């Protein structure tokens, strides 16, 4: 990568993440762009260290070859996380700064909820980070704020429409929707033709509609109990999980129970991550289903007339943000969908742009949220279906700590000191826990990619334990297994991983294989995924059965499945460690993100609005008012 590579001065023991991030002066983002052959008309600057890369780059590079495509997943994690983001960044620093490859890291934008809540930031860690760390973890370029605004505009449109429909006749409603101009002529706005087409009405002038057509067009006739669209904010606030709206005297008693989700759980975030162009995003936003009519017909954002306005709010958010690692290698940060309710992967457009920019022989490394049973599965079956891209290599990040937990070690709890078992050598525990790693390897290999295991080394891990993991990984069918020290050493500590990944990419011989075809039933798709978890069968609640039947009737049966389940076990029970099998997977409810393009069954209870702990991360976050630097971010 030449000029931009920065040699790190590593210190032992490893300082706090924010201290490392603050100790390195980032390069001006135009230098990072230049190394990728991006000219100034290809991006918009957002300050000195961030830029929005424009989608026009894709049109210009349409004919050029893609680089290698690598996805980073993990074993089933402990609540402390096993270092997927850190490994993703460390590997890219190794490829770019030490192995002289063209490389781009593609990461999700973190939510402010965890940043100020329990988990801290998501910029990587130690000497493998994205900088400036504070900007990455806070407002960045405002994409999440745009999603929040668009989401809440749609929520306001729903309640307003119900209110106006309840107080007006069909004719009065129609006349207000199509008001006369100065000459007294009525006309349909462009977006209204979408609804007319959906209703099978081909007339182009309001006065041509019959009273029956007027009623069909003007009255959406929401069934309030069917509304699935909730308001969002990018903060953990448990007291907004359930709220009542419409209590003002002007709302004429139209009280309704609803709630808030965290912004990254909005379907608009999932749309942003899965869209392939501005035109595609406009269509997806318009197709989002927000509830049903009393007759059981789906009501969309375009039915409400708001799809165009949502696209306007999202027009800048569709462009990925260019940043850099500590060692000066380029990063594209884009989208950040929930890994349970949505698919937990960064955007298709960022990956596509990156693959063209690195070109033949270059590398794009993208991260999939949570364990490989969730993130990598959704990456393959949802993201790759919509993108048409094929990965050559999948990395599975493992730690001795997590493997000991899966082998029967004591519970690991965030905020509490680790048990003695995790800090001293215990090869038997590690070996017992490798059943979890083995299942992730065989599941991931089934997609036709080469699997490389990256063992994220901690200071307390012994040589014998590490060798046991390598041996177990290779016997389970991994292409290679590598010990990594990128947290302590930066890119230098992931050079062996870089070499293994390059070999894995060069030796791929199979096409991408999906876990299930799209033309089978919703239930058959759910059962195919459940089988990969080790389930012997699936049990559906009465509510789930009803929803499946309704989605099939509404014509949504051919969409892929996005399973919402705990990340802490292959099964629905977070306490079931290792590689459980023979259990029956319970489907509590089934919902749909029609604009994003998937059906999501709920396995157990999923919270879409996290709460703050007794001692949130915000206790440690402050500003050094002398230097202007952020301190205490983790």
């Amino acid at each position: 990568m030449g000029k931009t590579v920065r040699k790190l001065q590593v210190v032992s023991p490893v300082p706090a993440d924010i201290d490392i991030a603050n100790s390195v002066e980032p390069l001006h983002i135009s230098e990072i762009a230049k190394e990728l052959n991006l000219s100034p008309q290809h991006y918009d600057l957002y300050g000195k260290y961030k830029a929005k890369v424009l989608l026009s780059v894709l049109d210009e590079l349409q004919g050029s070859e893609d680089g290698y495509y690598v996805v980073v997943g993990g074993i089933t994690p402990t609540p402390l996380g096993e270092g997927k983001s850190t490994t993703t960044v460390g590997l890219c620093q190794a490829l770019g700064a030490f192995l002289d490859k063209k490389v781009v890291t593609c990461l999700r934008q973190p939510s402010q909820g965890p940043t100020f809540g329990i988990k801290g930031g998501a910029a990587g860690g130690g000497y493998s980070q994205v900088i400036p760390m504070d900007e990455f973890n806070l407002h960045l370029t405002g994409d999440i704020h745009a999603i929040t605004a668009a989401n809440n505009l749609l929520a306001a449109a729903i309640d307003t429409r119900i209110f106006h429909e309840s107080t007006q006749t069909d004719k009065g409603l129609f006349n207000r929707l199509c008001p006369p101009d100065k000459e007294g002529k009525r006309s349909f706005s462009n977006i209204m033709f979408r609804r007319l087409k959906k209703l099978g009405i081909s007339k182009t002038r309001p006065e041509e509609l019959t009273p029956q057509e007027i009623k069909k067009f003007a009255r959406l006739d929401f069934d309030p109990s069917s509304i699935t669209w909730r308001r969002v904010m990018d903060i953990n606030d448990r007291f907004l999980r359930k709220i009542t709206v419409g209590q003002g005297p002007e709302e004429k008693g139209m009280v309704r129970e609803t709630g808030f989700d965290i912004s990254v759980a909005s379907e608009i975030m999932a749309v942003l991550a899965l869209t392939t162009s501005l035109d595609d995003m406009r269509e997806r936003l318009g197709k989002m289903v927000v509830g049903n009519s009393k007759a059981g017909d789906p009501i969309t954002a375009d039915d409400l007339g708001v799809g165009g306005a949502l696209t306007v709010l999202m027009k800048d958010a569709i462009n990925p943000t260019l940043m850099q690692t500590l060692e000066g290698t380029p990063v594209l940060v884009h989208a950040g969908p929930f890994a349970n309710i949505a698919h937990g992967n960064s955007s298709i457009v960022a990956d596509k742009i990156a693959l063209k920019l690195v070109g033949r022989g270059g590398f794009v490394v993208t991260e999939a949220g949570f364990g490989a049973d969730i993130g990598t599965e959704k990456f393959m079956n949802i993201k790759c279906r919509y993108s048409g891209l094929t990965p050559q290599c999948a990395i599975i990040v493992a730690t001795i700590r997590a493997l000991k937990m899966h082998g029967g070690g004591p519970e690991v709890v965030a905020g509490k000191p680790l048990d003695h078992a995790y800090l001293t050598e215990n090869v038997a525990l590690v070996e017992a826990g490798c059943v979890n790693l083995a299942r992730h390897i065989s599941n991931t290999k089934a997609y036709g990619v080469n699997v490389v295991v990256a063992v994220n080394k901690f200071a307390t891990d012994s040589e014998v334990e590490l060798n046991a993991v390598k041996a177990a990984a290779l016997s389970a069918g991994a292409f290679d297994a590598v010990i990594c020290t990128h947290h302590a050493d930066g890119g230098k500590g992931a050079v062996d991983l870089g070499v293994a990944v390059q070999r894995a990419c060069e030796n791929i011989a199979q096409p991408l294989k999906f876990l299930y075809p799209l033309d089978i039933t919703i239930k058959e798709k759910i059962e195919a995924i459940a089988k990969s978890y080790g389930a012997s069968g699936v049990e559906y609640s009465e509510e789930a059965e009803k929803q499946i039947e309704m989605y099939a009737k509404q014509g949504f049966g051919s969409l892929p499945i996005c399973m919402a389940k705990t990340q802490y076990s292959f099964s629905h029970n977070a306490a079931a460690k290792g590689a459980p099998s023979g259990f029956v997977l319970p489907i509590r409810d089934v919902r749909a993100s029609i604009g994003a393009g998937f059906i999501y069954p709920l396995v157990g209870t999923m919270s879409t609005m996290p709460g703050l702990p007794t001692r949130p991360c915000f206790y440690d976050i402050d500003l050094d008012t002398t230097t202007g630097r952020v301190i205490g971010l983790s």
Side-chain angles (χ1 to χ4, degrees), residues 282-507:
R282 169 64 188 90
E283 293 308 308
R284 286 173 182 270
L285 290 172
K287 282 196 300 197
M288 293 187 306
V289 172
V290 297
N292 297 327
S293 69
K294 287 174 185 146
D297 298 317
I299 299 171
T300 66
D302 273 347
D303 288 328
L304 282 155
V306 75
L310 300 181
T311 311
V312 168
L313 284 169
M314 293 293 293
K315 71 179 176 62
D316 296 323
I318 197 172
N319 300 314
T321 301
L322 182 65
M323 294 187 78
Q324 64 192 285
T325 66
L326 285 168
E327 298 189 62
T329 61
V331 180
L332 284 177
V333 186
H334 204 212
F338 239 44
N340 284 352
I341 300 301
H343 61 291
N345 281 266
S346 62
S347 78
I348 286 173
V349 290
D351 290 0
K352 284 194 159 185
I353 289 170
L355 285 163
K356 295 294 182 198
L357 289 175
V358 298
R360 186 178 181 177
F363 291 83
V364 171
V365 184
T366 188
E367 180 198 343
F370 290 160
D373 55 319
I374 299 180
T376 306
E377 184 269 306
K378 293 174 182 182
F379 171 86
M380 301 291 186
N381 293 306
I382 300 174
K383 187 177 177 182
C384 289
R385 263 191 226 272
Y386 285 122
S387 70
L389 299 172
T390 300
Q392 287 77 35
C393 172
I395 293 169
I396 296 176
V397 178
T399 59
I400 298 294
R401 173 176 73 195
L403 291 168
K404 284 180 175 177
M405 178 189 74
H406 287 296
E411 199 183 351
V412 176
V413 182
K416 285 190 181 174
L418 278 173
D419 188 273
H420 186 65
Y422 296 104
L423 306 172
T424 52
E425 184 175 289
N426 190 328
V427 182
L429 260 191
V430 174
E431 286 177 338
C434 282
V435 291
N436 183 272
L437 173 61
R439 185 179 290 170
H440 282 297
I441 292 168
S442 61
N443 280 357
T444 307
K445 268 187 77 178
Y447 296 108
V449 295
N450 282 330
V451 175
V452 173
V453 173
V455 187
N456 192 8
K457 186 183 175 187
F458 287 52
T460 49
D461 301 341
S462 79
E463 208 65 35
V464 191
E465 289 173 329
L466 294 165
N467 287 334
V469 180
K470 279 180 75 170
L474 294 170
S475 70
F479 180 85
D480 206 344
V482 184
I483 313 301
C484 308
T485 60
H486 46 272
H487 183 272
D489 301 320
K492 188 180 175 187
V495 168
D496 290 350
L497 178 62
V499 171
V501 165
Q502 184 176 349
R503 279 182 46 246
C505 288
E506 289 167 351
N507 284 286

Side-chain angles (χ1 to χ4, degrees), residues 177-324:
L177 287 169
C178 304
D181 61 17
K182 285 173 188 169
E183 278 92 56
K185 287 183 182 167
R186 295 183 185 277
S187 61
F188 292 118
S189 66
N190 278 339
I191 200 168
M192 289 176 174
F193 287 109
R194 291 174 181 249
R195 174 150 178 83
L196 289 164
K197 187 180 174 187
K198 178 179 167 178
L199 295 171
I201 300 170
S202 55
K203 295 166 182 174
T204 55
R205 298 207 307 273
E207 59 269 24
E208 295 173 340
L209 267 61
T210 65
Q212 193 186 6
E213 288 170 334
I214 283 172
K215 181 174 182 162
K216 271 170 77 178
F217 170 77
R219 197 165 291 284
L220 299 182
D221 201 27
F222 267 102
D223 170 3
S225 69
S226 75
I227 295 169
T228 51
W229 200 263
R230 289 153 58 95
R231 288 159 174 83
V232 299
M233 65 189 299
D234 195 34
I235 294 293
N236 291 0
D237 191 345
R238 67 177 74 241
F239 281 88
L240 290 178
R241 287 171 182 165
K242 191 175 268 195
I243 61 163
T244 308
V245 293
Q247 299 217 36
E250 296 83 8
E251 277 65 69
K252 301 184 172 74
M254 295 194 56
V255 175
R256 181 172 77 83
E257 243 189 29
T258 178
F260 272 78
D261 295 332
I262 195 163
S263 296
V264 290
S266 170
E267 183 178 347
I268 296 177
M269 175 63 93
V271 165
L272 177 66
L274 289 173
T275 196
T276 51
S277 66
L278 202 51
D279 187 51
D280 177 63
M281 184 170 77
R282 169 64 188 90
E283 293 308 308
R284 286 173 182 270
L285 290 172
K287 282 196 300 197
M288 293 187 306
V289 172
V290 297
N292 297 327
S293 69
K294 287 174 185 146
D297 298 317
I299 299 171
T300 66
D302 273 347
D303 288 328
L304 282 155
V306 75
L310 300 181
T311 311
V312 168
L313 284 169
M314 293 293 293
K315 71 179 176 62
D316 296 323
I318 197 172
N319 300 314
T321 301
L322 182 65
M323 294 187 78
Q324 64 192 285

Side-chain angles (χ1 to χ4, degrees), residues 32 42 53 101 125 214 258 272 402 409 440 480 529 546 553 587:
I32 304 292
H42 290 140
V53 179
K101 300 292 174 191
I214 283 172
T258 178
L272 177 66
H440 282 297
D480 206 344
I529 298 170
K546 259 177 24 197
K553 200 174 93 186
I587 305 294

